[in-house]
């Protein structure tokens, strides 16, 4: 593959793998599907309990009103608690419900099993190549994050 083709091919493959994983995971679900942005918000809230809506919007690179819409949907579904911030009555703090925590744990377990199963089908050299790529992928993600943050 020519060097100039690599970035586009790489981005296409990453996007394709992510889409296929989501499709495979959706196949066995009995509960209503959560959209990607809803899952991202739940994961963020679980990692940072009590996060403000405005901070969540900044972290997810979404408009505040978009996150407010997601919050309303997830509160209605029983996955988020929204409480008025005692320090700033105009702000809300978010926490995940036990139902959200259980759902995300199950999703992560299913995703891990699916990826382990598929990686096991690869040759030893292919698995080694993927493992060797992980540090570079983390650095790529860090660079993208820093660029968006303007660091």
């Amino acid at each position: 593959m020519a060097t100039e083709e690599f970035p586009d091919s790489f981005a296409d493959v990453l996007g394709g793998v992510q889409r296929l994983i989501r499709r495979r995971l959706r196949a066995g679900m009995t509960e209503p599907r959560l959209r990607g942005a809803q899952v991202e918000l739940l994961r963020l809230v679980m990692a940072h309990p009590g996060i403000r809506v405005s901070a969540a919007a900044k972290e997810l690179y979404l408009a505040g009103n978009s996150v407010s819409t997601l919050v309303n949907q997830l509160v209605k579904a029983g996955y988020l608690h929204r409480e008025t911030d005692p320090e700033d009555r105009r702000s809300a703090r978010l926490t995940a419900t036990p139902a959200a925590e259980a759902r995300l744990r199950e999703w992560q377990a299913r995703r891990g099993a699916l990826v382990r199963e598929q990686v096991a089908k690869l040759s030893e050299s292919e698995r080694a190549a993927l493992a060797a790529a992980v540090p570079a992928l983390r650095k790529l993600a860090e660079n993208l994050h820093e660029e968006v943050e303007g660091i």
Side-chain angles (χ1 to χ4, degrees), residues 40-41 44 51-68 145 148-151:
E40 287 181 40
L41 178 58
L44 178 65
I51 191 169
R52 289 183 174 155
V53 173
S54 59
K58 182 178 179 188
E59 185 67 27
L60 295 172
Y61 308 109
L62 294 172
N65 62 343
S66 296
V67 173
S68 291
H145 180 75
V148 171
E149 287 292 316
I151 296 173

Side-chain angles (χ1 to χ4, degrees), residues 13-116:
V13 168
L14 280 181
V17 167
Q18 185 65 18
R19 274 190 309 280
L20 288 166
I21 289 172
R22 281 195 308 263
R23 273 191 207 139
R24 291 279 307 272
L25 291 176
R26 271 184 273 183
M29 295 193 67
T30 57
E31 299 180 55
R33 179 178 153 212
L34 292 176
R35 293 187 357 250
Q38 291 171 321
V39 173
E40 287 181 40
L41 178 58
L42 285 175
R43 291 177 74 191
L44 178 65
V45 171
M46 286 177 60
H48 303 281
I51 191 169
R52 289 183 174 155
V53 173
S54 59
K58 182 178 179 188
E59 185 67 27
L60 295 172
Y61 308 109
L62 294 172
N65 62 343
S66 296
V67 173
S68 291
T69 298
L70 293 171
V71 167
N72 290 336
Q73 294 165 348
L74 293 168
V75 167
K76 184 177 178 182
Y79 292 128
L80 277 183
H81 288 298
R82 175 182 39 213
E83 298 174 356
T84 302
D85 186 343
E87 296 173 16
D88 180 356
R89 308 283 303 159
R90 298 169 294 163
S91 295
R93 293 198 173 263
L94 305 172
T95 54
T97 65
E101 293 172 3
R103 184 157 181 189
L104 284 182
R105 270 194 309 275
E106 184 217 351
W107 177 82
Q108 288 169 329
R110 290 180 64 225
R111 183 184 66 173
L114 173 64
V115 173
R116 279 190 297 279

Side-chain angles (χ1 to χ4, degrees), residues 100-151:
E101 293 172 3
R103 184 157 181 189
L104 284 182
R105 270 194 309 275
E106 184 217 351
W107 177 82
Q108 288 169 329
R110 290 180 64 225
R111 183 184 66 173
L114 173 64
V115 173
R116 279 190 297 279
E117 173 188 326
Q118 295 304 312
V119 168
K121 293 178 181 180
L122 300 174
S123 70
E124 187 174 327
S125 64
E126 290 167 330
R127 288 192 303 270
L130 288 178
V134 170
L137 289 169
R138 282 195 179 116
K139 182 63 178 171
L140 176 62
E142 182 182 308
N143 289 347
L144 288 166
H145 180 75
E146 288 175 354
E147 188 172 297
V148 171
E149 287 292 316
I151 296 173

Side-chain angles (χ1 to χ4, degrees), residues 3-18:
T3 304
E4 62 274 0
E5 295 172 9
F6 172 73
D8 288 335
S9 295
F10 178 72
D12 290 344
V13 168
L14 280 181
V17 167
Q18 185 65 18

